[in-house]
Amino acid sequence: MGNPLYGSNKFDRMLDKSYDSLSDFAMTATHSGGAAASASIKEGLIELRIDDLGSGENCSFTVPFDFEIQDVWIIVPNGENVTSKTYTLRNNTTAVTSAMSGATDKARVAPSTIDTGQTIFRKGDDDLNVLSSAHADGNVRVYIKYEII
């Protein structure tokens, strides 16, 4: 099936910025609680998969290319909701989004606000992170619609 970025103008723009191969597009995840986390990148969409994000824990991702966030939403996987739990996408320690509820099973939740002053991320930064509120461990999928800059 191949990589969906091949042959697109966006992929060509990425290559123009001195990327050597598709391995340069890998996002490294660091979970403060030590649980599993991963990311996948498609043209225009990043999916962050985070498991067992506990009370006050965060998960950081190293950014493989320059981009600006256009939109964000989360999906709470089946059976992974936690009463009163919220998730916030951040740029280092500053919130990019308002808190998104992880309390409803199988919910798709968008933030009520996105701080456009915090939506730019640069190659090599590990500032992209998801912060969990207090409460029990929960799994979440974060979807980021982006534009290459």
Side-chain angles (χ1 to χ4, degrees):
M1 187 163 228
N3 189 296
L5 294 175
Y6 277 122
S8 73
N9 289 334
K10 291 180 182 181
F11 184 73
D12 295 341
R13 284 174 44 204
M14 291 168 101
L15 290 179
D16 288 343
K17 293 186 177 218
S18 74
Y19 298 96
D20 295 326
S21 70
L22 286 178
S23 64
D24 288 339
F25 301 122
M27 293 182 79
T28 304
T30 304
H31 189 302
S32 67
S38 63
S40 62
I41 302 170
K42 298 177 177 78
E43 183 176 348
L45 186 68
I46 296 170
E47 178 189 30
L48 309 177
R49 301 174 65 87
I50 307 168
D51 293 340
D52 299 327
L53 199 58
S55 179
E57 292 178 345
N58 71 73
C59 189
S60 299
F61 295 85
T62 301
V63 175
F65 52 87
D66 297 347
F67 68 88
E68 182 173 11
I69 292 175
Q70 303 297 311
D71 197 9
V72 177
W73 64 94
I74 67 169
I75 293 181
V76 180
N78 187 16
E80 295 299 328
N81 58 308
V82 176
T83 302
S84 301
K85 189 167 199 67
T86 62
Y87 301 97
T88 304
L89 185 70
R90 301 187 311 171
N91 185 342
N92 196 0
T93 59
T94 304
V96 174
T97 67
S98 54
M100 297 172 278
S101 175
T104 304
D105 191 31
K106 301 179 286 279
R108 180 188 186 281
V109 181
S112 59
T113 62
I114 296 176
D115 182 350
T116 57
Q118 296 297 323
T119 56
I120 293 177
F121 291 84
R122 300 290 179 192
K123 178 182 178 183
D125 288 348
D126 64 353
D127 294 341
L128 179 69
N129 68 76
V130 177
L131 175 68
S132 169
S133 65
H135 310 97
D137 289 0
N139 296 355
V140 67
R141 305 300 176 254
V142 180
Y143 295 89
I144 300 170
K145 181 180 173 187
Y146 69 88
E147 180 73 30
I148 295 169
I149 54 173

